[in-house]
Amino acid sequence: MTTSDTHTLSGRVAVVTGASSGIGESTAEALAAKGAAVAVTARRQDRLDALARRIEAAGGTALPLALDVTDPDAVAAVAARVQDQLGRVDLVFANAGVMLPAPIEELRRDQWDQQIDLNLKGLLYTIEAFVPSLVAAAAEGGPADLISTSSIAAQHLFPNFAVYSATKAFVTHLTDHLRMELGPKLVRTTTIEPGIVATELQSHVTDAGAQAWLEGAARSIQFLAPEDVARLVAFVAEQPRHVNLSHIRILPTQQQS
Ligand code: NDP
């Protein structure tokens, strides 16, 4: 393989939300390794700085920017900074999310709000801030990608995951529907629905039943690694611009549901 084969994303400007850990962190590294300049965003600045240092040490370009995507003004401000410092964004990986399963009868309105604010509204604010530059990039003849992280939970029923699953169904349906508007403008949209990935996501779970289910799954299934999803995102983005991998499920081989 030649250097130009490996730098399939050279000249691309990417934004990754939820880049301080897990799938987002790994994807930022994968995109940068293929030549994209990557704005890495999340709330934990120290983690972003460390990631940016690793990317730069490997010869890539990274811009670490603290961002809470539930604040639409903050997302708009970050979009302006990325435009100034890296150029026009043509690859958005809208990935930040939180999973807080609990029986509905526990009436955890705080957790419902947290999941809706981040998984659903945070995605919309990301789209609001970056779709204009994706459309502009495509209009000028380049590739443009809006890639969202949904979940297998968008399609499957899991006990006590109702609110999380509903937020991910929103992610899938929104992204699929946007294809109708953005596809004709040559902006590709992609929904990725992973099964279980070994990340910090499970560490936020407070419900004992869900924790037990996840621990049982970890004993019987080899979870995906964040790098497995990262490779997929890079593969999606490096396709010729008339090719849109629009809706992808990636599962641990042993995961049945
Ligand atoms: P992690 O918990 O490792 O990553 C979540 C990321 O979201 C972190 O970088 C976190 O950073 C960021 N984040 C949380 N709140 C906010 C906020 N308000 N504003 C901006 N960023 C925020 O888990 P994963 O990597 O697993 O999760 C990534 C995505 O993958 C999520 O959407 C999740 O739902 C989805 N997913 C995960 C699966 C799994 O099994 N792990 C399976 C299917 C889908 P910080 O705290 O620094 O802000």
Side-chain angles (χ1 to χ4, degrees):
M1 192 177 267
T2 66
T3 305
S4 60
D5 289 334
T6 59
H7 283 74
T8 46
L9 300 178
S10 246
R12 304 284 303 267
V13 176
V15 170
V16 176
T17 71
S20 60
S21 59
I23 294 169
E25 178 180 27
S26 199
T27 300
E29 290 194 280
L31 298 177
K34 286 180 177 274
V38 187
V40 292
T41 73
R43 293 168 304 174
R44 287 171 293 177
Q45 181 81 57
D46 56 333
R47 298 281 291 257
L48 299 175
D49 290 342
L51 169 62
R53 281 195 297 275
R54 280 204 311 280
I55 288 175
E56 303 263 349
T61 301
L63 176 62
L65 295 172
L67 173 64
D68 182 338
V69 291
T70 67
D71 176 350
D73 294 335
V75 187
V78 158
R81 277 196 63 185
V82 179
Q83 165 86 37
D84 282 352
Q85 291 183 243
L86 296 181
R88 193 187 47 229
V89 170
D90 60 17
L91 199 176
V92 176
F93 184 43
N95 164 75
V98 66
M99 179 183 80
L100 301 169
I104 204 72
E105 287 175 283
E106 285 184 7
L107 309 178
R108 292 297 303 268
R109 192 202 297 160
D110 57 332
Q111 295 191 342
W112 303 344
D113 286 343
Q114 209 181 326
Q115 293 174 98
I116 289 167
D117 287 347
L118 177 56
N119 301 357
L120 197 156
K121 290 188 183 175
L123 171 61
L124 283 173
Y125 300 151
T126 303
I127 287 169
E128 177 185 29
F130 291 106
V131 157
S133 70
L134 292 177
V135 170
E140 288 187 14
D145 287 288
L146 171 64
I147 304 172
S148 63
T149 310
S150 182
S151 166
I152 186 181
Q155 315 284 348
H156 284 233
L157 304 182
F158 297 100
N160 304 333
F161 279 72
V163 176
Y164 175 73
S165 298
T167 65
K168 290 302 183 179
F170 179 94
V171 174
T172 289
H173 284 272
L174 181 76
T175 312
D176 282 351
H177 277 84
L178 287 180
R179 190 166 181 281
M180 302 305 292
E181 295 180 49
L182 299 177
K185 297 184 174 184
L186 279 162
V187 176
R188 300 181 291 202
T189 62
T190 303
T191 310
I192 296 181
E193 295 179 339
I196 307 182
V197 189
T199 68
E200 293 177 16
L201 193 79
Q202 295 88 10
S203 69
H204 304 297
V205 173
T206 54
D207 179 65
Q211 275 170 345
W213 183 83
L214 286 162
E215 281 161 20
R219 282 192 293 275
S220 57
I221 296 171
Q222 182 183 349
F223 290 177
L224 295 172
E227 295 75 22
D228 298 321
V229 183
R231 273 197 309 278
L232 177 61
V233 177
F235 181 74
V236 165
E238 68 191 358
Q239 296 306 307
R241 82 177 191 132
H242 67 285
V243 178
N244 182 193
L245 297 169
S246 66
H247 190 139
I248 304 166
R249 185 171 303 167
I250 174 169
L251 299 173
T253 304
Q254 295 163 299
Q255 186 175 358
Q256 299 300 306
S257 62

